[in-house]
Amino acid sequence: MPPHEPGVTQPPDIDPEELRREGLVTPPGTDRVAHDGAGRVELAFTVEDTDPARTAEKKVRVPPGVTVFDSASWNGIAIDSTCGGHGTCHKCKVRLDRTEPVTRHDAKTFSADQLDAGWRLACLVKATSDLKVLVPPLTTRPKAATVGVGRQVILRPAVQKRYVKLAEPTLEDQVTDLDRLLAAITDLEPRADLHVLRRLPKVLREADFKVTAVIVDEELVDVEPGDTTEQRYAIAFDLGTTTVVATLLDLVTGTPVAVASMLNKQQPFGGDVISRISATMLDPLALERLQTAACQTLAQLAAQVCAEGEVDPAHVYEACIAGNATMTALVLGIDPEPLGVAPFIMSTPLPPTVLAEDLQLGLHPRARAVFFPALGAYVGGDIVAGMLASGMDRDKRTRLFIDVGTNCEIVLSDGDRIVSTAAPAGPAFEGGAIRCGMRAADGAIEVIKLDASGEQPVELGVIGDVEPKGLCGSGLVDAVAELVKVGLLDSSGRFVPEDVAKELAPALADRLTMIGQERVFVLHRPTVDASPEESVVLSQRDVRELQFAKAAISTGWTLLLEELGLEHRDIQQVLLAGSFGSYLSAASAVRIGLVPQLPVLRIVAAGNVAGEGAKMALLSVRERAGAQTLLEEVTYVELSDRPEFNDRFVEQLAFSHGG
Amino acid sequence: MPPHEPGVTQPPDIDPEELRREGLVTPPGTDRVAHDGAGRVELAFTVEDTDPARTAEKKVRVPPGVTVFDSASWNGIAIDSTCGGHGTCHKCKVRLDRTEPVTRHDAKTFSADQLDAGWRLACLVKATSDLKVLVPPLTTRPKAATVGVGRQVILRPAVQKRYVKLAEPTLEDQVTDLDRLLAAITDLEPRADLHVLRRLPKVLREADFKVTAVIVDEELVDVEPGDTTEQRYAIAFDLGTTTVVATLLDLVTGTPVAVASMLNKQQPFGGDVISRISATMLDPLALERLQTAACQTLAQLAAQVCAEGEVDPAHVYEACIAGNATMTALVLGIDPEPLGVAPFIMSTPLPPTVLAEDLQLGLHPRARAVFFPALGAYVGGDIVAGMLASGMDRDKRTRLFIDVGTNCEIVLSDGDRIVSTAAPAGPAFEGGAIRCGMRAADGAIEVIKLDASGEQPVELGVIGDVEPKGLCGSGLVDAVAELVKVGLLDSSGRFVPEDVAKELAPALADRLTMIGQERVFVLHRPTVDASPEESVVLSQRDVRELQFAKAAISTGWTLLLEELGLEHRDIQQVLLAGSFGSYLSAASAVRIGLVPQLPVLRIVAAGNVAGEGAKMALLSVRERAGAQTLLEEVTYVELSDRPEFNDRFVEQLAFSHGG
């Protein structure tokens, strides 16, 4: 839905001392009493500064087993490092209040006295119980970027470049080309792939042994003549079932260079994941065609952002793809059938990293394409990316994350435990099965205000400021919510009788009419004398569709609240994810019961968090590791086998008039 | 040289108690006083048996840092294991006399009391100083095979299969397909590649969740319906500059199924490595053509051995390729130019493992092709394979390893230190630059006996028992050696004057004649009245060629002896590697000074040790690790920049009459 693209934040280079900031990521420990919730350990950091007056104390809480380096990094605390936490750069020195095992890297880095005093490399110490950590003053000021829901990311991309000037070999110095190169890269220990070895001898000699090594994660993927360190790019893809968004990132600065979006070329196979899975079950060639269509979508966007950003695609060394489980399976060519039929089984929670070339993305020949892990067949990599971008695991508040769509993903965290589920909401929010439903495109009514007695009884917000042609998801929610508010819909979701309507809403009652046997509410007449059939209307059946959709969703979060022993009022924040969430009226969502009955200020549009998560994974290997950790932290709750599901669902069908 | 192929040993399944055997691999410690040479640690094993009377004590010495498991495995001591030393099967339990760090795998395997008592997993303990190790009785009897120069290899191939019957998923059990499969494989923890994930959902369901997992090293490469555990094959390639040999191995039994050899299809580009490297420097397309030619050679042989062995190529999951540095670079498509010009630089000592498909070998689509590491541009993977097969690093004796060829590789070990070098012997041993020289094919004189006064003054051994057509390498050495013996060649390598000849060797003197201005010795006249030009002769210039070749080689081992402070008589064994070495007369080699002046019984033909090393690497991941260790153990000595090289070379030109 291109008109709904959230804006791109321009992340500035920031002072590490400014890393702590207001927003959704609360620096833990300073203004709250640390509580010993199950499954977390507390790390108390003392962050020194060259100016002793600026030394700061920060407490953070992380799942046991996370490294001290990650614990700091995820909470905006900068520690010197160039290798990205592989134990190879020997820079992330910290002093602990406890004796931890000495690794070979520690032994190389510290004297015996220092080891005795508790000095260790932060990336090699796993926090298994509470720990005090002294961080010495930074020797270099790290760059950071603002990404996701106010998340500060300290830049440490998987894609690294090192410019080296090597001594030419002689009979006295017959070190091999590769070892000569690797010896000059002091802070990383990459493996070389065949592609590099094939080019290495010629490139070294043609460039007089002055070359730039390109390293992705732990692989040396290329050697480029001369100094190319400033050309270092990656592309973040939000691979949606409907819309695909690409963001070209400059990894040197952490800033987006260009953004583009388009409809997923898989559309001809069906609008939702089930129809695309069905296609593969009916036609043995469909899987390959769907894969090709997805890859072509990504490739076309990649070409577009590179052209717009005036970046050579050969300088794009990594792509990160956030998509739901079906989109991920299809783009990789993995048989999706078990995702579509009970008991809904994924092939793997951790899709493998592949070559971008395998997907024919047209980037550097050895560029990698990485995927997000998935929690379940219907809580996929896009949601894990969204959790990463919204800091679901790093915030002490009780927060509810809802990504509204045909399949609606719901995540609930009480600051210690995180549970998630999926609710089958059906196509109503995308305009499907709705009489005048349409996508959020030009002509769609997206905002509706009703005034039972005022001068302007119906006020419409229309995308593109053109003649209204139909109703998109947010307009549908508004329409129902406003009709409930003015009393034209009763709590069971039925249009009230004509006489009741005239009494409650005299200015609107004449809009309640019939099409055939069905009652409808006319939202917009193209001409004064247009018939209801020619108008944009909301039908009784449309209301039922929305009721079922919202009941599915509210049953989902109700059961998750029960799972954690919480009540509605415990929720401190509701995040509405995705472009749909950005345009949904919080008041309307509350009124129809799509979200819990809470003050609207607690309901926040989180934007395209999947795409933001993909950007974070490209900007920081630590954040990428955080996405993997989520897989262990989040409990997936399957609703369809819950005996209480149907009871709760029926309870949730009604509209409350309390909002 | 196909007629010279050494026979293939049929390795039997053997009792582990029989693993210790006479031969080139001496079980250390039992009959010798252990000496504390630099750079070795001693492990004293107590190997228990279910019958206490059969408990055995064995001491072995290995480079520091080798694991206890490898130390045992390399010395024929069996320890329970199924994972191949990755710490995952938790079976290789041993008790140490010292407290070693406790890994997480140890903590899972042993009780606190057991850990206190010194129990550890052998594959996770590195021997950094002398250690006593108790090995409990085996629970399963390991299979072993005899490979190489009498080496006993305990079978533990990188290619593993596990047949599993999985529970079908339900709504209560939504574990992903991959995790379900991996959970059923208790002793290995492989990663899955995309190829498997694409097939996995369908194969599992079509095979009713009864499948065989195929694992190569640490990768899950396939899932096959039903139980295919008996179909497990690999191919060992000896990729020679001239001849390529393929051996199809049954990895279940460790036995060779079929062997085939053919000329390297790169021959049209030149007979030796330098001419092939030159080809790539003259023609930008030559590298690709050379690569294709090498791959086609391997593919044709692979098809041939599979056909002969009646094995489906899709059941061949690994190939091991032993070749010199140039052959390895060319088959991988790596620019070989720096190998061919001073200062002779390799791209890498450790060629990467690639997919056999990348080389179009026609095996399983995800089969791996692994290569041997190389010590230098002219002591390549074939020699490392040969060292592995001949146990150069596991034998306490002082041994000299010589692979005679255009480039002659020489390795010397004193039981502690190993040094190696390469000597440019030129083409004489392959019949090049020799007047009547030819390859070791039908019609080549390979054995010559001269009798200065006897009834049959010249006795010839001819390949194929046909009319002699020329002289191959071993015949050349015999010819010169015999002429020196009877006195027709003086110690400077000159044919003696006619009168001296008549006096010393009356029965042979008439064969000394002239062609043009050059003196020649007639070895064979096709007819009684044939002219010297029509006969098979050895010319004065031929003698000079051989003198230069043998001087290059003997200068090599002379300098290596000096490097280790040894003398000729210290050498306890000379191994002549390669097919040429197999057919060379030890007595003649001693007489012309190609090998040190030693009793001929100390000179042993080692056969095709490169191919045997490749087989060992396929049969045992422990042996493969041993090849990597050689890279650290062996010091490569570059001769061409030695100031003393020329002096030594001149000294070595002469023939001694002492033999």
Side-chain angles (χ1 to χ4, degrees), chain B residues 190-203:
Chain B
R191 291 183 305 270
D193 72 11
L194 183 56
H195 173 84
V196 171
L197 287 170
R198 284 182 174 161
R199 289 166 48 81
L200 185 61
K202 210 170 273 299
V203 171

Side-chain angles (χ1 to χ4, degrees), chain B residues 224-426:
Chain B
E224 296 170 342
D227 183 352
T228 64
T229 47
E230 292 299 306
Q231 281 84 54
R232 185 155 58 105
Y233 299 91
I235 299 179
F237 289 104
D238 169 18
L239 176 56
T241 310
T242 306
T243 306
V244 184
V245 187
T247 307
L248 176 64
L249 285 173
D250 182 340
L251 298 176
V252 176
T253 60
T255 49
V257 178
V259 182
S261 69
M262 61 185 286
L263 286 181
N264 190 326
K265 286 178 188 280
Q266 293 178 334
Q267 289 289 340
F269 292 83
D272 54 36
V273 297
I274 293 298
S275 55
R276 298 196 199 158
I277 295 171
S278 303
T280 69
M281 293 160 70
L282 296 171
D283 175 1
L285 296 176
L287 174 55
E288 198 183 324
R289 288 191 188 135
L290 279 159
Q291 192 198 2
T292 304
C295 292
Q296 284 173 348
T297 311
L298 299 176
Q300 188 172 323
L301 284 170
Q304 197 174 329
V305 289
C306 285
E308 276 177 30
E310 294 179 1
V311 165
D312 180 348
H315 287 138
V316 180
Y317 305 97
E318 200 170 45
C320 181
I321 300 171
N324 62 44
T326 303
M327 287 304 109
T328 302
L330 290 178
V331 77
L332 285 170
I334 297 173
D335 177 15
E337 183 174 335
L339 294 169
V341 294
F344 315 115
I345 304 300
M346 287 194 290
S347 58
T348 175
L350 291 162
T353 295
V354 299
L355 290 178
E357 198 172 62
D358 292 340
L359 308 181
Q360 301 189 284
L361 298 190
L363 309 177
H364 183 279
R366 305 306 280 180
R368 279 9 186 206
V370 298
F371 293 82
F372 272 92
L375 291 163
Y378 289 94
V379 180
D382 52 344
I383 301 306
V384 173
M387 285 191 227
L388 185 72
S390 53
M392 281 302 283
D393 59 337
R394 321 229 182 125
D395 195 307
K396 281 187 172 173
R397 292 176 292 179
T398 294
R399 297 162 90 207
L400 179 65
F401 172 108
I402 304 179
D403 190 333
V404 179
T406 305
N407 173 57
C408 176
E409 297 95 344
I410 309 167
V411 184
L412 177 69
S413 167
D414 68 357
D416 276 323
R417 293 160 301 167
I418 313 179
V419 287
S420 76
T421 194

Side-chain angles (χ1 to χ4, degrees), chain A residues 169-172 174 176-179 197-198 205 291 332-334 338 343 345-349 352 636 638 641, chain B residues 169-172 174-179 197-198 205 291 332-334 338 343 345-349 352 636 638 641:
Chain A
T170 62
L171 279 175
E172 290 74 39
Q174 289 182 319
T176 64
D177 286 349
L178 181 63
D179 288 349
L197 288 170
R198 283 182 176 162
R205 286 161 183 82
Q291 193 200 2
L332 285 170
I334 297 172
I345 304 300
M346 289 193 291
S347 57
T348 175
Y636 177 70
E638 174 66 41
D641 66 337
Chain B
T170 63
L171 280 175
E172 289 73 41
Q174 289 182 317
V175 169
T176 64
D177 287 348
L178 181 63
D179 287 349
L197 287 170
R198 284 182 174 161
R205 286 161 184 82
Q291 192 198 2
L332 285 170
I334 297 173
I345 304 300
M346 287 194 290
S347 58
T348 175
Y636 177 72
E638 174 65 45
D641 65 339

Side-chain angles (χ1 to χ4, degrees), chain A residues 427-441:
Chain A
F429 295 116
E430 292 180 351
I434 300 298
R435 183 175 182 98
C436 297
M438 66 177 286
R439 288 239 177 82

